[in-house]
Amino acid sequence: MVRQIQVSRRAAEMNYAIREVAVPAAELAKKGRKLCMLNIGDPNKWDFETPSYFKAALRKAVDHTDNGYGDSQGNPEFRDAIVAREKEKHGVTVDKDKVFVTSGVGEAINLLMGALVEQGDEILVPGPGYPSYMQYINFYGGKTVPYRMIEEENWRPDVDMLRKRITDKTKAIIVINPNNPTGAVFSRKDLTEIGNIAAEFELPVVSDEIYDKITEVPFYSMSRLPSDVSRIIFNGFSKVNLMPGWRVGYGYVMDENHMLDQIFEGIMKQCRARICPNVPCQWAAQASLQGPQDYIEDMNRRLKDRAEFSYERLNEIPGISVNKPQGAFYMFPKVELTDWKSDKDFVLDLMNEEGVVFVHGSGFCQEFGQSHFRTITLPRVEILAEAYDKLEKFMIRHKA
Ligand SMILES: Cc1ncc(COP(=O)(O)O)c(C=O)c1O
């Protein structure tokens, strides 16, 4: 027998909840089962189309650029466009040399944690929050320390808990706003308070703003915080800009204190090692920033109807209760676990019995996500209605 090469602890321990439920779902689909996949936040899987002028820009880039490698930090013209866009959106001045382009925000998270985390370091993350953060923190030997999002207060962050959970091992505070999975949009007051805590404890803040244009309430970017707060802002093109498969994202550093000089250089070293982000897709992403923006309004209009319908309908179902989302395209309902030991068992049973696929809440935070599930508000109302009818039948059958 040939010997088995052992996988690293880092890789073995990875499990990204959102795609994890996709494995048993794929098995069912292979057996011919029709499924309603409400587990992935991909607008292009539903009736949101990549605008045709983005596609034209991509074709043009392939036809008219040399298709060779590009700048490791990202196309300079694209970084100029990002700087201009941040100015227009938030009135802030970003240094082009502190912008780095990535293969989606997913890669930005990996690069950041690769530069930041040493064994035993602690990173404060909203609980529940987008699972990639915990995955990469753990991958590099760190510890995710969640701070609670308060369900009873429409999922606003528990700023007191955040403060209490800072230790001498804390390396950074992560904010995900608008939030995946709760759909909460953080208030300016809470963001300012988090910024004040960061400045007081000399910690950097990382703000993931990938859903910044998908909100029903005013959005306050952490790029607008006072200059004594050292920040890294993430944004990307998979959600608002409807090109998730093209894998474009970016980060930028605002750091007058120079607290993050070494971290930025650590990110740059990794950027050079990965050579460069996809060059033609950056041209297409640039076009999406500079052309007509009405597709965003259209998207928000449709999402609003779907979120309102979901809010009303889910709250009618026995054993389910949910807050009204203010942004992004997710909801994080609470479920009474009558027949199930865990929210994951609930999600798997629902998938098997009714063919509706959600993600278990504990996959977004063991401590503050249990007894919940995450769903999306992207499908048309008729599709959502059918899924909620099935969920209702299932809950009644299980005596909620
Ligand atoms: C908060 C958040 N950040 C980052 C990502 C990953 O985005 P990208 O496609 O840019 O890697 C997601 C995707 O769902 C997300 O919800």
Side-chain angles (χ1 to χ4, degrees):
M1 171 103 155
V2 179
R3 87 181 163 112
Q4 276 276 320
I5 306 295
Q6 206 172 348
V7 65
S8 69
R9 177 208 61 85
R10 292 186 298 278
E13 283 182 4
M14 273 200 146
N15 68 37
Y16 179 71
I18 299 169
R19 296 250 162 178
E20 202 191 336
V21 293
V23 176
E27 305 249 305
L28 282 180
K30 235 194 286 171
K31 291 183 195 148
R33 195 64 195 279
K34 197 171 157 277
L35 298 172
C36 181
M37 302 290 287
L38 301 182
N39 60 318
I40 294 186
D42 181 346
N44 294 53
K45 293 275 181 291
W46 305 96
D47 59 338
F48 300 92
E49 256 266 4
T50 311
S52 53
Y53 79 88
F54 304 0
K55 295 182 188 170
L58 180 58
R59 282 189 210 103
K60 189 169 159 214
V62 172
D63 286 341
H64 298 283
T65 62
D66 67 10
N67 291 303
Y69 290 132
D71 188 317
S72 285
Q73 204 173 335
N75 294 352
E77 300 83 350
F78 182 39
R79 284 187 281 127
D80 281 333
I82 289 167
V83 168
R85 186 54 184 260
E86 294 297 317
K87 177 97 190 170
E88 179 205 318
K89 283 195 292 193
H90 311 305
V92 295
T93 303
V94 174
D95 179 353
K96 170 190 181 177
D97 293 334
K98 291 287 155 97
V99 177
F100 55 97
V101 179
T102 55
S103 295
V105 174
E107 190 192 21
I109 298 169
N110 185 355
L111 297 178
L112 170 71
M113 298 310 168
L116 187 67
V117 175
E118 284 287 4
Q119 197 67 32
D121 283 347
E122 296 177 2
I123 311 288
L124 282 156
V125 170
Y130 178 57
S132 264
Y133 286 93
M134 322 171 211
Q135 295 302 318
Y136 283 113
I137 292 165
N138 191 50
F139 189 84
Y140 290 107
K143 183 175 164 210
T144 300
V145 178
Y147 59 93
R148 184 168 72 119
M149 307 287 287
I150 311 169
E151 183 164 23
E152 299 71 25
E153 296 178 41
N154 218 359
W155 296 115
R156 61 171 280 266
D158 186 338
V159 181
D160 293 332
M161 178 181 283
L162 189 160
R163 172 186 282 278
K164 286 196 189 113
R165 290 197 165 186
I166 293 173
T167 70
D168 55 7
K169 294 203 173 109
T170 308
K171 274 291 215 23
I173 301 168
I174 310 290
V175 169
I176 302 167
N177 174 39
N179 188 264
N180 175 5
T182 63
V185 176
F186 290 30
S187 69
R188 178 175 183 162
K189 182 169 171 285
D190 284 335
L191 293 166
T192 304
E193 184 124 3
I194 293 172
N196 290 343
I197 293 173
E200 181 187 333
F201 287 88
E202 297 188 317
L203 289 169
V205 178
V206 179
S207 181
D208 181 332
E209 303 184 350
I210 193 167
Y211 302 97
D212 63 351
K213 285 274 176 187
I214 308 178
T215 65
E216 285 188 35
V217 295
F219 172 78
Y220 184 78
S221 167
M222 282 192 124
S223 61
R224 294 172 63 190
L225 288 180
S227 61
D228 61 337
V229 186
S230 294
R231 280 148 290 165
I232 303 181
I233 312 288
F234 288 159
N235 214 320
F237 293 77
S238 299
K239 314 292 177 181
V240 177
N241 307 69
L242 295 168
M243 49 175 87
W246 295 357
R247 311 303 304 126
V248 188
Y250 62 90
Y252 60 85
V253 176
M254 299 178 95
D255 178 33
E256 281 188 13
N257 303 319
H258 296 280
M259 186 197 284
L260 294 167
D261 283 356
Q262 289 182 30
I263 299 301
F264 183 70
E265 188 45 31
I267 292 173
M268 286 304 98
K269 284 186 174 183
Q270 295 175 81
C271 282
R272 294 193 280 270
R274 58 102 206 238
I275 303 186
C276 67
N278 181 309
V279 174
C281 289
Q282 290 182 72
W283 286 106
Q286 181 177 330
S288 81
L289 295 180
Q290 294 170 332
Q293 300 295 301
D294 46 342
Y295 69 94
I296 301 178
E297 231 171 82
D298 174 56
M299 183 181 194
N300 274 311
R301 193 175 33 75
R302 282 188 274 165
L303 284 173
K304 186 174 191 306
D305 289 346
R306 295 167 195 192
E308 257 165 33
F309 172 75
S310 300
Y311 170 70
E312 300 287 335
R313 182 69 185 99
L314 282 168
N315 277 316
E316 285 169 6
I317 299 176
I320 306 278
S321 60
V322 69
N323 287 333
K324 199 166 196 171
Q326 302 165 313
F329 32 64
Y330 306 104
M331 293 174 96
F332 200 63
K334 187 177 201 161
V335 55
E336 212 182 295
L337 294 178
T338 50
D339 274 358
W340 309 279
K341 279 213 257 352
S342 69
D343 47 20
K344 188 160 180 196
D345 286 350
F346 158 80
V347 162
L348 292 174
D349 269 6
L350 177 70
M351 183 190 306
N352 281 310
E353 291 182 29
E354 296 292 342
V356 176
V357 185
F358 296 137
V359 186
H360 45 294
S362 50
F364 296 84
C365 181
Q366 271 298 334
E367 191 176 356
F368 301 119
Q370 293 192 19
S371 300
H372 288 77
F373 63 91
R374 188 194 74 170
T375 187
I376 54 171
T377 57
L378 289 162
R380 288 198 318 274
V381 164
E382 308 82 81
I383 297 171
L384 291 171
E386 196 184 326
Y388 302 151
D389 287 350
K390 287 180 175 168
L391 173 64
E392 185 167 53
K393 247 189 354 197
F394 175 81
M395 293 304 288
I396 291 170
R397 198 160 59 240
H398 289 275
K399 301 186 186 55

PDB file of all heavy atoms in Angstrom, residues 42-49 242 298 302 306 378-380:
ATOM      1  N   ASP A  42     -25.380  34.675  -4.566  1.00  0.00           N
ATOM      2  CA  ASP A  42     -24.902  34.975  -5.921  1.00  0.00           C
ATOM      3  C   ASP A  42     -26.066  35.548  -6.742  1.00  0.00           C
ATOM      4  O   ASP A  42     -26.945  34.798  -7.186  1.00  0.00           O
ATOM      5  CB  ASP A  42     -24.374  33.685  -6.562  1.00  0.00           C
ATOM      6  CG  ASP A  42     -23.846  33.913  -7.969  1.00  0.00           C
ATOM      7  OD1 ASP A  42     -24.108  34.977  -8.564  1.00  0.00           O
ATOM      8  OD2 ASP A  42     -23.171  33.011  -8.492  1.00  0.00           O
ATOM      9  N   PRO A  43     -26.101  36.863  -6.945  1.00  0.00           N
ATOM     10  CA  PRO A  43     -27.249  37.460  -7.656  1.00  0.00           C
ATOM     11  C   PRO A  43     -27.413  36.917  -9.076  1.00  0.00           C
ATOM     12  O   PRO A  43     -28.532  36.813  -9.575  1.00  0.00           O
ATOM     13  CB  PRO A  43     -26.914  38.963  -7.678  1.00  0.00           C
ATOM     14  CG  PRO A  43     -25.491  39.097  -7.268  1.00  0.00           C
ATOM     15  CD  PRO A  43     -25.113  37.860  -6.516  1.00  0.00           C
ATOM     16  N   ASN A  44     -26.288  36.530  -9.701  1.00  0.00           N
ATOM     17  CA  ASN A  44     -26.358  36.064 -11.094  1.00  0.00           C
ATOM     18  C   ASN A  44     -27.022  34.702 -11.249  1.00  0.00           C
ATOM     19  O   ASN A  44     -27.354  34.297 -12.353  1.00  0.00           O
ATOM     20  CB  ASN A  44     -24.958  36.045 -11.716  1.00  0.00           C
ATOM     21  CG  ASN A  44     -24.375  37.443 -11.839  1.00  0.00           C
ATOM     22  OD1 ASN A  44     -24.321  38.174 -10.852  1.00  0.00           O
ATOM     23  ND2 ASN A  44     -23.987  37.843 -13.026  1.00  0.00           N
ATOM     24  N   LYS A  45     -27.219  34.004 -10.105  1.00  0.00           N
ATOM     25  CA  LYS A  45     -27.941  32.725 -10.182  1.00  0.00           C
ATOM     26  C   LYS A  45     -29.442  32.985 -10.335  1.00  0.00           C
ATOM     27  O   LYS A  45     -30.211  32.075 -10.588  1.00  0.00           O
ATOM     28  CB  LYS A  45     -27.721  31.899  -8.911  1.00  0.00           C
ATOM     29  CG  LYS A  45     -26.303  31.412  -8.716  1.00  0.00           C
ATOM     30  CD  LYS A  45     -26.078  30.105  -9.471  1.00  0.00           C
ATOM     31  CE  LYS A  45     -24.676  29.560  -9.283  1.00  0.00           C
ATOM     32  NZ  LYS A  45     -23.626  30.357  -9.921  1.00  0.00           N
ATOM     33  N   TRP A  46     -29.870  34.218 -10.130  1.00  0.00           N
ATOM     34  CA  TRP A  46     -31.288  34.561 -10.192  1.00  0.00           C
ATOM     35  C   TRP A  46     -31.488  35.557 -11.332  1.00  0.00           C
ATOM     36  O   TRP A  46     -30.735  35.530 -12.300  1.00  0.00           O
ATOM     37  CB  TRP A  46     -31.752  35.051  -8.806  1.00  0.00           C
ATOM     38  CG  TRP A  46     -31.429  34.017  -7.763  1.00  0.00           C
ATOM     39  CD1 TRP A  46     -30.335  33.978  -6.945  1.00  0.00           C
ATOM     40  CD2 TRP A  46     -32.148  32.797  -7.507  1.00  0.00           C
ATOM     41  NE1 TRP A  46     -30.332  32.836  -6.189  1.00  0.00           N
ATOM     42  CE2 TRP A  46     -31.433  32.095  -6.510  1.00  0.00           C
ATOM     43  CE3 TRP A  46     -33.335  32.237  -8.014  1.00  0.00           C
ATOM     44  CZ2 TRP A  46     -31.870  30.853  -6.015  1.00  0.00           C
ATOM     45  CZ3 TRP A  46     -33.764  31.021  -7.513  1.00  0.00           C
ATOM     46  CH2 TRP A  46     -33.035  30.346  -6.533  1.00  0.00           C
ATOM     47  N   ASP A  47     -32.472  36.448 -11.245  1.00  0.00           N
ATOM     48  CA  ASP A  47     -32.743  37.286 -12.425  1.00  0.00           C
ATOM     49  C   ASP A  47     -31.978  38.617 -12.392  1.00  0.00           C
ATOM     50  O   ASP A  47     -32.507  39.646 -12.778  1.00  0.00           O
ATOM     51  CB  ASP A  47     -34.255  37.495 -12.592  1.00  0.00           C
ATOM     52  CG  ASP A  47     -34.885  38.165 -11.378  1.00  0.00           C
ATOM     53  OD1 ASP A  47     -34.288  38.094 -10.275  1.00  0.00           O
ATOM     54  OD2 ASP A  47     -35.959  38.769 -11.519  1.00  0.00           O
ATOM     55  N   PHE A  48     -30.758  38.599 -11.914  1.00  0.00           N
ATOM     56  CA  PHE A  48     -29.905  39.790 -11.968  1.00  0.00           C
ATOM     57  C   PHE A  48     -28.783  39.496 -12.959  1.00  0.00           C
ATOM     58  O   PHE A  48     -27.973  38.604 -12.732  1.00  0.00           O
ATOM     59  CB  PHE A  48     -29.326  40.109 -10.583  1.00  0.00           C
ATOM     60  CG  PHE A  48     -30.384  40.379  -9.557  1.00  0.00           C
ATOM     61  CD1 PHE A  48     -30.891  39.363  -8.764  1.00  0.00           C
ATOM     62  CD2 PHE A  48     -30.902  41.664  -9.414  1.00  0.00           C
ATOM     63  CE1 PHE A  48     -31.886  39.608  -7.820  1.00  0.00           C
ATOM     64  CE2 PHE A  48     -31.901  41.924  -8.478  1.00  0.00           C
ATOM     65  CZ  PHE A  48     -32.385  40.897  -7.688  1.00  0.00           C
ATOM     66  N   GLU A  49     -28.766  40.225 -14.034  1.00  0.00           N
ATOM     67  CA  GLU A  49     -27.835  39.946 -15.145  1.00  0.00           C
ATOM     68  C   GLU A  49     -26.654  40.904 -15.093  1.00  0.00           C
ATOM     69  O   GLU A  49     -26.845  42.089 -14.795  1.00  0.00           O
ATOM     70  CB  GLU A  49     -28.574  40.204 -16.467  1.00  0.00           C
ATOM     71  CG  GLU A  49     -29.005  38.974 -17.172  1.00  0.00           C
ATOM     72  CD  GLU A  49     -27.999  38.493 -18.208  1.00  0.00           C
ATOM     73  OE1 GLU A  49     -26.896  39.072 -18.359  1.00  0.00           O
ATOM     74  OE2 GLU A  49     -28.324  37.510 -18.867  1.00  0.00           O
ATOM     75  N   LEU A 242     -22.436  42.838  -9.875  1.00  0.00           N
ATOM     76  CA  LEU A 242     -22.987  41.699 -10.618  1.00  0.00           C
ATOM     77  C   LEU A 242     -21.979  40.953 -11.495  1.00  0.00           C
ATOM     78  O   LEU A 242     -22.287  40.578 -12.636  1.00  0.00           O
ATOM     79  CB  LEU A 242     -24.172  42.196 -11.480  1.00  0.00           C
ATOM     80  CG  LEU A 242     -25.369  42.702 -10.677  1.00  0.00           C
ATOM     81  CD1 LEU A 242     -26.368  43.432 -11.568  1.00  0.00           C
ATOM     82  CD2 LEU A 242     -26.069  41.545  -9.964  1.00  0.00           C
ATOM     83  N   ASP A 298     -32.174  49.597  -9.926  1.00  0.00           N
ATOM     84  CA  ASP A 298     -33.096  48.558 -10.359  1.00  0.00           C
ATOM     85  C   ASP A 298     -32.971  47.330  -9.433  1.00  0.00           C
ATOM     86  O   ASP A 298     -33.960  46.753  -8.993  1.00  0.00           O
ATOM     87  CB  ASP A 298     -32.762  48.203 -11.821  1.00  0.00           C
ATOM     88  CG  ASP A 298     -33.581  47.041 -12.295  1.00  0.00           C
ATOM     89  OD1 ASP A 298     -34.818  47.147 -12.216  1.00  0.00           O
ATOM     90  OD2 ASP A 298     -32.993  46.018 -12.719  1.00  0.00           O
ATOM     91  N   ARG A 302     -35.940  45.760  -6.804  1.00  0.00           N
ATOM     92  CA  ARG A 302     -36.426  44.380  -6.795  1.00  0.00           C
ATOM     93  C   ARG A 302     -36.150  43.703  -5.444  1.00  0.00           C
ATOM     94  O   ARG A 302     -36.981  42.976  -4.920  1.00  0.00           O
ATOM     95  CB  ARG A 302     -35.777  43.595  -7.938  1.00  0.00           C
ATOM     96  CG  ARG A 302     -36.449  43.921  -9.274  1.00  0.00           C
ATOM     97  CD  ARG A 302     -35.959  43.019 -10.359  1.00  0.00           C
ATOM     98  NE  ARG A 302     -34.736  43.549 -10.962  1.00  0.00           N
ATOM     99  CZ  ARG A 302     -33.920  42.845 -11.734  1.00  0.00           C
ATOM    100  NH1 ARG A 302     -34.172  41.579 -11.971  1.00  0.00           N
ATOM    101  NH2 ARG A 302     -32.856  43.405 -12.271  1.00  0.00           N
ATOM    102  N   ARG A 306     -38.707  41.848  -2.497  1.00  0.00           N
ATOM    103  CA  ARG A 306     -38.470  40.452  -2.103  1.00  0.00           C
ATOM    104  C   ARG A 306     -38.187  40.352  -0.601  1.00  0.00           C
ATOM    105  O   ARG A 306     -38.618  39.409   0.057  1.00  0.00           O
ATOM    106  CB  ARG A 306     -37.321  39.873  -2.943  1.00  0.00           C
ATOM    107  CG  ARG A 306     -37.727  39.799  -4.411  1.00  0.00           C
ATOM    108  CD  ARG A 306     -36.604  39.531  -5.384  1.00  0.00           C
ATOM    109  NE  ARG A 306     -37.092  39.851  -6.749  1.00  0.00           N
ATOM    110  CZ  ARG A 306     -36.472  39.540  -7.854  1.00  0.00           C
ATOM    111  NH1 ARG A 306     -35.321  38.894  -7.820  1.00  0.00           N
ATOM    112  NH2 ARG A 306     -36.986  39.881  -9.034  1.00  0.00           N
ATOM    113  N   LEU A 378     -32.800  36.955  -2.905  1.00  0.00           N
ATOM    114  CA  LEU A 378     -32.528  37.234  -4.324  1.00  0.00           C
ATOM    115  C   LEU A 378     -33.582  36.689  -5.301  1.00  0.00           C
ATOM    116  O   LEU A 378     -33.843  37.334  -6.325  1.00  0.00           O
ATOM    117  CB  LEU A 378     -31.154  36.634  -4.704  1.00  0.00           C
ATOM    118  CG  LEU A 378     -29.940  37.356  -4.109  1.00  0.00           C
ATOM    119  CD1 LEU A 378     -28.701  36.452  -4.166  1.00  0.00           C
ATOM    120  CD2 LEU A 378     -29.654  38.651  -4.870  1.00  0.00           C
ATOM    121  N   PRO A 379     -34.212  35.524  -5.039  1.00  0.00           N
ATOM    122  CA  PRO A 379     -35.136  34.989  -6.050  1.00  0.00           C
ATOM    123  C   PRO A 379     -36.414  35.810  -6.184  1.00  0.00           C
ATOM    124  O   PRO A 379     -36.774  36.572  -5.269  1.00  0.00           O
ATOM    125  CB  PRO A 379     -35.472  33.592  -5.514  1.00  0.00           C
ATOM    126  CG  PRO A 379     -34.422  33.284  -4.513  1.00  0.00           C
ATOM    127  CD  PRO A 379     -34.001  34.595  -3.930  1.00  0.00           C
ATOM    128  N   ARG A 380     -37.092  35.611  -7.307  1.00  0.00           N
ATOM    129  CA  ARG A 380     -38.385  36.271  -7.526  1.00  0.00           C
ATOM    130  C   ARG A 380     -39.388  35.812  -6.459  1.00  0.00           C
ATOM    131  O   ARG A 380     -39.285  34.699  -5.935  1.00  0.00           O
ATOM    132  CB  ARG A 380     -38.936  35.910  -8.907  1.00  0.00           C
ATOM    133  CG  ARG A 380     -38.194  36.547 -10.068  1.00  0.00           C
ATOM    134  CD  ARG A 380     -39.039  36.502 -11.345  1.00  0.00           C
ATOM    135  NE  ARG A 380     -39.710  35.218 -11.516  1.00  0.00           N
ATOM    136  CZ  ARG A 380     -39.144  34.163 -12.110  1.00  0.00           C
ATOM    137  NH1 ARG A 380     -37.926  34.244 -12.593  1.00  0.00           N
ATOM    138  NH2 ARG A 380     -39.817  33.032 -12.233  1.00  0.00           N
TER     139      ARG A 380
END
